Each structure stands twice: as C-alpha cells, then as structure tokens.
Amino acid sequence: MRFDKFDFQEELLDALYYMGFETATPIQEQAIPAILEGKDLLACAQTGTGKTAAFMLPIINILASGPKENTEALIICPTRELAIQIEQQIQGFAYYADLASIALYGGGSGMEWEEQRKALKNGANIVVATPGKLKSFIHNDYVSKSTIKYLVLDEADRMLDIGFYDDIIEIINTLPKERQTLLFSATMPPKIKSLSKTILKDPLEISIAISKPAAGVLQASYLLYETQKSPLLVKLIADKPNYKSILIFSSTKKKVSEIVRALRRAKLNADGISSNLEQKEREAVLAGFRSRRTRILVATDVMSRGIDIKEINLVINYDVPRDAEDYVHRIGRTARAETTGVAISFVNPEDMRAFDKIEKLIEKPVAKLEIPKEMGEQPKWNPKYYKSKSGGSGHKRKFHKSNRSNKRR
C-alpha cells in the first residue's frame, strides 16, 4: 500500500516524498489506520519492520492539523540511542508540519540537562524520553503532563527486561486517563500481555512475524572453545574485505573492550560501544559506524535496539544470547528492508543448550561450520552439555549421566 493512500496531510506526504518513503510495510499498513481512528494498540513486530513510522506518522498527521502550543505526544523507549534515533526521524517526518520535538535522555553532562529543560520551556509538541530521565523532568514539573493525548511505549519488552516496569507505571499514573496508548514490542512474553491489560483500553492487537529472522539473513555457526573465538573472529573478518559494515555482539561490557583490542592488534578498523561511554562518546562512535569511517562495531545487547543502520553486511554473535528472542533482535540488524546479510554465531560448549533453544524458536537448524584445522580440535554438537557448579569450562566437557552410560555401552 502506498503512503499517499492514507488520509495524510499534504505537508506530511511532502516530507515522506522527499525522504523516499513510498510503500508502507505490513506493520505500518495495519497500525496507521487504527491509530488514526483513535484505537489503543498492542503491536508486535520484529526489528527492522518500520515500527517507528507506524506510530509516528499518524500522530504527526493529527498534531499537524491542530493547535501547537502544548506537549501532546509522549514516546518512552529503553535507551538514549533509540530516543535520539526516534527524535531524528520525527524531525524528518514533521519537517513541513511546524511541530517541535525533543529527546530527553541521561548519560550526559549537566549542560545537556539545562539545554533539554530550556527546550521544554520553549515548547515541544512531541517528547521522546527514556524512563529514568523522564521521571526526573516530571518530578521537577518541566513536562506538561496534563496535556498528553498520545502515549507510546516503544520496545516495551526491552524496557521490562532492563527493569523499568515500576518507572513506567509511575509515569503513566501521572498522565491523563483519557488518552490514546500505543504499546509496541518486538516480542510478546507474558509480562507484556500483563502490562497491556493494565494500561490499554480495548486495544487492537497486531502481530507481524514474531520471532522469525528476516528471510534475507544467511545464518551459520561455528562450534568452538572460548579460546578459539578471538583468532577465528580476526580470520573471518580479514577474509571478508568486501564486507564494509560489520556488527559484533558480546555478552558483557568487559568483553567489548577485549574484542576491540584484539581486532585493532590485527590492524582492523574497529570501535566499541557500551554503557561505559559518555553520551557524546556513544554518539561519536555511532556516527563513525553510520558514515562507514568505522568498519566494525562491537556492542552489548543493551545497545542493540538503538542501532538502526542500513546495509550492515555481517552480524557476529561472539557470545550466544541467553534469551532466544535476543538472537532474532541481534541478527535483525542485517538484511533490513528486504536486503540480504549474513549472521554468524560462535557457540562454545556452555552455549550449546541456549543455541538449541534458538533453533527451536526459529524452527530451523543453523548450519554448523568447521573451524580452520590450524586452530585445533573443535567440540562436537551436544545441546545437553551443562556447566558444573564449580564453574568448569573451556575444553572440559561434562554430560548428563545418561550420556556417560550410553558412551560406556
């Protein structure tokens, strides 16, 4: 469906034309008419399906035709990177609509707080914020709560994973009861269903391709020991000079730094991003990756949903995510907007059980490739592997008693 088939204001259609938006994605096609009709919404769609435009376009269309003195739309999201990204998209969509927007987020200097406060005082029709920072502004009466007509929770599952449930409920309790509420999530666990019953009124439910990687993602994995990960990573990237944009996911902030150091020692252009960095440093790292000045970006899961960059050629799971749903989010960074991409996972013995859950979730086995012979023996696939209470790992393999008895036979 083309965007000009929606009942949009001419100013919004002009902005979409100049931004190159022509055809709506499935989530946009279903969500936009419902939002324009004033319905509450519970929407589930995987990463990269156009959720931001799905909720922002109808809201901007409504606000553009009315008075512009008050803050009427509030978007809450889990990370500062995502807040900045959403606000940048709003600026593009609302370019001809004479609407003001601002992103509120922490992690910066006191000067940023003052700049955000002044911007709110001057008037912002749309506020995008992380929960913690929004609470601070609300407690200081800098956000006009009584005029909010539209509330959006974006990446709601991630906000609950991080531990923002109480903050979200506290914020919502300060808002007008009469409002339109839109809850967008990449997954639909029971806790999201529970939250939706608390904050939504007779919502329309939309579900698009839950927990399935994009068709354009070529998936593969390597079974290996922890000590083999770094050498294999360097070799894989060195052997792929045509891959101009590579994203690597690690389980911890400490590992991010270790991986970056290993890549740089191999003369590979890499940078890392985690919550250890100040906000301006994060923005600089992301800007370098977007502009292709930095070829390789290493990140933690917390950062994954704030990285909306087109044409990422390769995603590498240096560590297997503990939550199978996170695997879909990670590899969803590549093959966006019907392009193609490659996703490779490093699976050590302790991660085999988690990877087996991933394969069950996506309903297909992921190809398991052989590591180069010079790197030594690799472990055999055994999803029943478990880690001993004493913390044994590496080349030491332990199996269930039933497996040991079968082996003796």
Side-chain angles (χ1 to χ4, degrees):
M1 181 175 181
R2 292 178 58 88
F3 282 106
D4 56 14
K5 299 300 181 182
F6 293 112
D7 188 21
F8 282 158
Q9 305 283 333
E10 286 297 327
E11 296 88 349
L12 182 54
L13 289 175
D14 287 342
L16 290 171
Y17 173 79
Y18 285 110
M19 293 174 71
F21 281 69
E22 295 182 0
T23 305
T25 65
I27 185 63
Q28 293 162 1
E29 189 170 337
Q30 294 188 45
I32 289 173
I35 297 172
L36 290 173
E37 291 173 11
K39 295 180 181 293
D40 278 12
L41 200 64
L42 174 59
C44 184
Q46 72 183 58
T47 303
T49 54
K51 285 182 289 182
T52 301
F55 62 76
M56 280 317 315
L57 291 177
I59 290 175
I60 289 172
N61 184 74
I62 296 167
L63 297 183
S65 60
K68 302 178 177 63
E69 292 84 12
N70 300 317
T71 299
E72 297 189 38
L74 175 61
I75 297 95
I76 307 175
C77 59
T79 66
R80 64 200 81 182
E81 285 71 30
L82 187 55
I84 293 169
Q85 173 187 306
I86 292 172
E87 203 267 332
Q88 288 173 342
Q89 281 196 268
I90 292 170
Q91 288 183 21
F93 294 147
Y95 186 80
Y96 296 104
D98 192 28
L99 293 171
S101 61
I102 184 173
L104 307 178
Y105 48 85
S109 63
M111 186 178 298
E112 285 180 339
W113 165 276
E114 184 60 22
E115 290 173 353
Q116 293 171 3
R117 186 191 68 79
K118 288 181 179 178
L120 283 172
K121 186 177 180 180
N122 291 334
N125 309 110
I126 305 170
V127 171
V128 187
T130 55
K133 182 56 63 174
L134 180 59
K135 275 181 59 180
S136 298
F137 277 96
I138 287 176
H139 288 163
N140 287 279
D141 290 325
Y142 293 143
V143 177
S144 177
K145 306 179 292 296
S146 62
T147 58
I148 297 296
K149 296 180 180 179
Y150 307 95
L151 170 66
V152 181
L153 300 184
D154 190 24
E155 302 287 12
D157 52 347
R158 176 56 65 187
M159 285 195 283
L160 298 193
D161 286 343
I162 295 173
F164 282 136
Y165 179 86
D166 290 340
D167 290 338
I168 290 170
I169 295 299
E170 181 180 338
I171 291 166
I172 290 175
N173 286 339
T174 69
L175 303 179
K177 301 297 182 184
E178 293 300 318
R179 64 173 190 272
Q180 185 176 7
T181 305
L182 313 172
L183 193 157
F184 280 76
S185 181
T187 62
M188 198 57 63
K191 55 191 174 183
I192 290 295
K193 285 283 190 179
S194 177
L195 177 63
S196 71
K197 291 177 182 177
T198 303
I199 67 173
L200 301 179
K201 296 178 181 178
D202 190 26
L204 173 69
E205 295 191 22
I206 298 174
S207 183
I208 304 289
I210 300 176
S211 301
K212 295 296 183 291
V217 181
L218 175 62
Q219 302 174 67
S221 64
Y222 287 92
L223 307 180
L224 75 181
Y225 298 107
E226 192 67 27
T227 55
Q228 295 170 323
K229 286 185 177 181
S230 183
L232 180 60
L233 178 69
V234 170
K235 179 173 177 55
L236 285 177
I237 294 176
D239 288 345
K240 293 175 173 58
N242 293 331
Y243 287 18
K244 305 300 183 184
S245 188
I246 300 171
L247 181 57
I248 301 170
F249 285 111
S250 168
S251 59
T252 66
K253 294 181 286 186
K254 181 180 177 182
K255 273 193 177 182
V256 167
S257 300
E258 293 172 354
I259 295 167
V260 170
R261 285 196 295 269
L263 293 170
R264 288 177 176 175
R265 282 196 298 269
K267 309 299 182 185
L268 294 169
N269 180 10
D271 213 336
I273 186 166
S274 72
S275 58
N276 282 343
L277 298 181
E278 295 293 332
Q279 178 59 26
K280 287 185 178 179
E281 293 175 308
R282 291 189 189 187
E283 292 176 17
V285 169
L286 283 175
F289 189 55
R290 285 194 180 97
S291 64
R292 304 295 178 90
R293 295 193 305 272
T294 300
R295 180 187 176 208
I296 307 163
L297 181 65
V298 187
T300 55
D301 273 325
V302 173
M303 304 301 303
S304 66
R305 300 196 195 184
I307 302 172
D308 187 12
I309 298 170
K310 296 179 180 179
E311 299 180 0
I312 292 178
N313 309 121
L314 172 63
V315 170
I316 297 177
N317 292 310
Y318 192 88
D319 301 303
V320 174
R322 284 288 152 261
D323 187 341
E325 298 279 5
D326 283 337
Y327 176 83
V328 179
H329 299 318
R330 287 184 180 189
I331 71 172
R333 300 295 102 189
T334 188
R336 297 175 78 91
E338 300 181 357
T339 60
T340 59
V342 178
I344 296 174
S345 299
F346 290 174
V347 186
N348 67 19
E350 292 173 15
D351 287 338
M352 288 181 184
R353 182 175 292 181
F355 202 69
D356 183 55
K357 291 180 180 178
I358 288 169
E359 291 183 324
K360 287 182 170 65
L361 178 71
I362 65 175
E363 298 178 344
K364 64 180 293 187
V366 177
K368 295 165 183 66
L369 309 179
E370 292 186 5
I371 64 173
K373 291 183 178 180
E374 64 269 20
M375 291 185 182
E377 180 188 359
Q378 66 185 123
K380 303 296 183 182
W381 173 244
N382 183 13
K384 294 183 178 180
Y385 175 92
Y386 71 94
K387 184 176 181 180
S388 67
K389 291 182 180 180
S390 61
S393 59
H395 285 66
K396 187 177 181 180
R397 284 168 284 178
K398 293 181 178 291
F399 303 92
H400 288 292
K401 288 182 180 179
S402 60
N403 288 347
R404 291 201 298 268
S405 62
N406 288 338
K407 188 176 180 180
R408 281 196 294 269
R409 290 174 191 168

